[in-house]
Amino acid sequence: MAATPHPHSPTTEAPVLLLMGSGDRRYREYIVAAVSHHFRLWLLDAYEPSWQLPYVEGTSLLDTKDLDALLLEAKKVMQQLPVAGVFTYDESLVHAAARLAEALGLPGSTPDAVLSCRDKAATRARLTAADVPQPACTPVSTAAEARRAAEATGYPVVVKARGLAGSLGVVRADHGDAVEAAFEAASSATWPGVPRYEADVLVEKYLTGPEISIDAVVIDGVCTPMIVARKQTGMDPYFEETGHTVDAADPLLQDAELLDQLHRIHKALGFERGATHTEFRLTPEGPRLVEINARLGGDFIPLIGKLATGTDPAVAAAHVAAGLAPDTAPKARRNAAIKFLYPERDCEAVEVVVRTDLFGPTVHSAVATAGPGTRLALPPRAYMNRYGYVIAVGEDPDQVTADVEAGPALVELRSRPLTTDD
């Protein structure tokens, strides 16, 4: 458990944040880079740092789930530097980060509030007690229990893993046999660091209507939404997330019913300070919560939010973690979108080529995320196996949509099929 100083900071007077975890460079570097312009960062990570080094003041290699080890290392850092808060965007570390912040007397929500966001069954129980409208939900531990719960709820239902995020292990089921298959998919879906429960799968009433997410910051219980992202999903009956669109002037940012539910949800869960990513379905009966996460949204949602509004949700979240007032006012009024690229069938990538010569006028970036030899399997065999993505930003929403929809041509996948033996 070594601490390695590294000379990088925005200014020598800038406050320090303990950054817990760093993640996949392809999907996370933009957050670390943005926050490092405002704060000095000390990285607490379970993995040897590499790409993170230019952005951080120092690093500590340790078990990020071990509170005693975290406390010992954090106190060493605090003897050298003015640590203002604990910051993470990693779903598997939000509870550990909350425990560390509480133990050090630093800003944040209580570990109990954060855990009530992580555990989807706890979320539903607390919101039911607070009379917040939401779908019927039953935790189950066997396929037979799942089938009985679905029959009591009424078809169709959604079967999901209790502690996962990003639509991993989420399946719609329209009849009993489908429920049992969905239970197997949900119970077998995994992600590093995600806890398991005795009743590890939830059976919920299926909600109809468009799906959205709200990235917000919360200070002293006051929730300020920064961006609304409209989600696209595919691969029915799974809910693989294929894209998101942000309009800086989305009318939902002024929707009284939606904002009231957002406030009531945070209040019922006791979430007082931090950043949240809250997902809703806009049903015919009104907004209904899908889930809430005690962190920034993934899938580059903060980035496309910044491109659309000119204000960075990631930087705002870091300010809140440091006990400071963030800048949440939009500076621009644009549309931004991202489209994730999936193969048409299970395959192995031979080559992925970015065709810059085909870029439309609003294309911001097109990136290949799979190299030669990468296995790309689809649900239920695997989840989030993308070979690339395209981001577009501009004032014309139709052009932005057209440019991201051209993604398969802009990031060209050459592949060979996977066989049953692969």
Side-chain angles (χ1 to χ4, degrees), residues 52-359:
Q52 306 91 335
L53 294 177
Y55 303 112
V56 300
E57 187 83 2
T59 67
S60 299
L61 189 64
L62 76 171
D63 181 353
T64 48
K65 304 297 173 57
D66 184 338
L67 182 60
D68 290 336
L70 286 167
L71 269 173
L72 180 63
E73 195 63 31
K75 288 177 179 177
K76 290 180 183 177
V77 177
M78 294 174 80
Q79 290 174 356
Q80 309 171 43
L81 297 167
V83 172
V86 180
F87 177 60
T88 191
Y89 43 76
D90 186 326
E91 174 69 19
S92 70
L93 295 178
V94 291
H95 187 235
R99 293 178 69 204
L100 179 61
E102 182 181 63
L104 295 172
L106 296 173
S109 285
T110 66
D112 178 69
V114 170
L115 197 60
S116 72
C117 297
R118 287 218 69 201
D119 179 353
K120 294 178 175 62
T123 303
R124 295 296 189 203
R126 292 196 178 193
L127 296 185
T128 297
D131 293 325
V132 177
Q134 58 179 326
C137 172
T138 306
V140 299
S141 55
T142 67
E145 288 179 6
R147 189 164 189 156
R148 288 195 295 270
E151 289 169 354
T153 301
Y155 294 105
V157 295
V158 170
V159 182
K160 63 172 67 173
R162 180 169 171 176
L164 290 176
S167 298
L168 294 175
V170 181
V171 190
R172 194 194 74 239
D174 298 333
H175 53 79
D177 291 344
V179 168
E180 296 196 15
F183 176 87
E184 295 305 322
S187 61
S188 61
T190 61
W191 194 258
V194 171
R196 311 303 297 198
Y197 303 89
E198 183 176 349
D200 200 43
V201 172
L202 303 181
V203 176
E204 297 186 347
K205 179 182 177 182
Y206 175 68
L207 299 172
T208 60
E211 190 166 353
I212 67 159
S213 64
I214 301 176
D215 274 52
V217 289
V218 186
I219 301 175
D220 296 333
V222 177
C223 183
T224 302
M226 294 190 66
I227 56 172
V228 169
R230 299 192 180 238
K231 181 190 295 188
Q232 294 86 51
T233 60
M235 304 179 205
D236 184 69
Y238 305 95
F239 296 85
E240 197 78 0
E241 299 181 11
T242 59
H244 307 272
T245 302
V246 173
D247 176 356
D250 196 308
L252 289 175
L253 287 165
Q254 310 300 325
D255 186 280
E257 184 179 8
L258 178 63
L259 297 182
D260 177 65
Q261 278 205 35
L262 187 69
H263 169 75
R264 292 173 62 194
I265 288 164
H266 284 80
K267 182 178 179 181
L269 299 178
F271 195 94
E272 292 284 327
R273 174 174 285 272
T276 58
H277 175 76
T278 311
E279 300 177 1
F280 291 91
R281 281 273 192 180
L282 304 180
T283 77
E285 293 77 34
R288 294 294 183 268
L289 178 73
V290 174
E291 65 179 52
I292 180 171
N293 304 281
R295 55 165 172 78
L296 288 165
D299 273 358
F300 294 103
I301 291 173
L303 176 59
I304 62 171
K306 178 188 175 183
L307 293 173
T309 68
T311 303
D312 195 334
V315 171
H319 276 78
V320 174
L324 302 173
D327 178 5
T328 60
K331 310 295 186 300
R333 187 169 177 169
R334 295 186 289 262
N335 291 268
I338 185 167
K339 182 178 180 65
F340 295 103
L341 305 174
Y342 291 81
E344 293 182 359
R345 59 189 63 84
D346 292 358
C347 67
E348 180 182 292
V350 174
E351 186 180 23
V352 185
V353 180
V354 177
R355 295 290 305 275
T356 56
D357 56 309
L358 299 179
F359 281 15

